[in-house]
Amino acid sequence: MLSSILSDYVKRHRYTRLQPLAALIDMDGTLYDSMGNHAEAWCRMCEENGLSVTREEFFLYEGMTGAGTIDILMQRCRGRHATEEECISLYRRKTEIFKELPPVRPMPGAKDLTDLMKTVGMRRVLVTGSGQNSLLNRLDEDFPGVFTDGMRVTSRDVTRGKPHPEPYIRGMQIAGVTPSQAIAVENAPLGVKSAATAGAFTVGVVTGPVARTELEAAGAAVVYDSMTECAEEFPTLLYEMLTLNL
Ligand code: CA
């Protein structure tokens, strides 16, 4: 089953093989169980500013940069694009509220997965739409040795955020790999779309209210129902990739 998914994938992309040399890993909702807090912070900031929103919509915007999300909200609620000043001030306020919420925890299974990637010698690059230092600064503590210096793409490093492929293309450049040598791990449809469009073999993980079918529709090659399951199945995935007979 997995081997046929892999061989179909390779043929569809006109790759000659898959070489799992690098892992490109999303942060919010993948490494950290942070999406509930993000949605809460967005809702409170919007309420303060008279922007009418639903909590659910923020799970669909997940992966976008703050400025991208604010622009969508302003277009819908005010009928115009957000100004640069609004993007800065509203995102700053959202970040302040996020920091006041109870601390988020690493996603169960995330450390097992990233330790495994490290053990087998895959290069690891963080690829996040976030620019929030409150989480970025915790990575070394929660995932020691997983992301070494410079091995990150954040909102500050790209001009076009997810779902545009730029963040994952940058991730591949940093890792020094081609698309057929990269595995991306993502929990949100826009992030999956970004990674899949960049040509990475994209693993979707269900960690919140977004259904597996939405991750598949966005381009996930395989989908796991939790990060724990992803960590358990990852050795099999690597083995099948390395032994794939086309
Ligand atoms: Ca995410």
Side-chain angles (χ1 to χ4, degrees), residues 26-31 35 62-63 127-128 162 185-188 191 207:
D26 168 57
M27 183 171 74
D28 286 292
T30 297
L31 291 179
M35 278 314 299
E62 190 191 338
V127 181
T128 178
K162 303 171 188 176
V185 185
E186 267 285 353
N187 75 304
T207 64

Side-chain angles (χ1 to χ4, degrees), residues 2-242:
L2 183 55
S3 62
S4 65
I5 289 173
L6 293 175
S7 60
D8 287 350
Y9 180 86
V10 168
K11 283 170 196 157
R12 196 165 64 246
H13 285 77
R14 299 172 193 274
Y15 296 153
T16 50
R17 58 177 174 158
L18 289 170
Q19 281 181 291
L21 295 181
L24 311 175
I25 311 155
D26 168 57
M27 183 171 74
D28 286 292
T30 297
L31 291 179
Y32 285 104
D33 191 5
S34 48
M35 278 314 299
N37 278 14
H38 279 295
E40 180 66 22
W42 278 113
C43 283
R44 288 195 202 175
M45 182 281 283
C46 288
E47 197 179 325
E48 287 176 5
N49 289 278
L51 299 167
S52 173
V53 296
T54 64
R55 185 180 162 80
E56 290 69 33
E57 69 181 288
F58 294 105
F59 288 90
L60 297 175
Y61 302 154
E62 190 191 338
M64 265 187 209
T65 60
T69 302
I70 289 164
D71 192 51
I72 285 180
L73 299 176
M74 296 304 278
Q75 284 190 57
R76 194 186 64 215
C77 299
R78 304 271 161 86
R80 59 167 176 79
H81 285 288
T83 64
E84 204 177 326
E85 292 73 28
E86 284 168 337
C87 290
I88 293 167
S89 67
L90 296 178
Y91 189 61
R92 186 184 297 138
R93 180 63 190 134
K94 182 257 169 178
T95 302
E96 276 171 12
I97 298 168
F98 182 84
K99 281 193 250 176
E100 288 161 10
L101 295 172
V104 300
R105 296 179 191 288
M107 193 66 78
K111 188 168 185 306
D112 294 334
L113 178 66
T114 53
D115 282 348
L116 181 68
M117 290 164 168
K118 195 170 67 170
T119 301
V120 299
M122 294 180 80
R123 296 165 217 167
R124 289 95 44 204
V125 181
L126 182 82
V127 181
T128 178
S130 173
Q132 288 200 192
N133 289 328
S134 55
L135 277 187
L136 289 166
N137 291 344
R138 275 181 53 187
L139 279 168
D140 288 341
E141 199 176 314
D142 294 324
F143 301 93
V146 171
F147 302 104
T148 51
D149 277 355
M151 300 294 269
R152 348 183 132 175
V153 179
T154 73
S155 65
R156 293 183 278 265
D157 304 310
V158 294
T159 52
R160 291 153 299 184
K162 303 171 188 176
H164 194 280
E166 185 182 340
Y168 278 95
I169 291 170
R170 288 292 296 275
M172 290 175 198
Q173 287 168 344
I174 289 172
V177 296
T178 62
S180 67
Q181 296 172 327
I183 300 179
V185 185
E186 267 285 353
N187 75 304
L190 295 182
V192 166
K193 190 172 176 206
S194 171
T197 309
F201 184 91
T202 306
V203 173
V205 188
V206 177
T207 64
V210 174
R212 89 168 10 238
T213 48
E214 294 192 51
L215 299 178
E216 285 164 352
V222 292
V223 178
Y224 299 112
D225 288 321
S226 66
M227 283 296 278
T228 304
E229 188 192 18
C230 182
E232 286 166 2
E233 296 298 324
F234 202 72
T236 307
L237 178 65
L238 293 182
Y239 178 80
E240 294 282 346
M241 280 186 177
L242 291 166

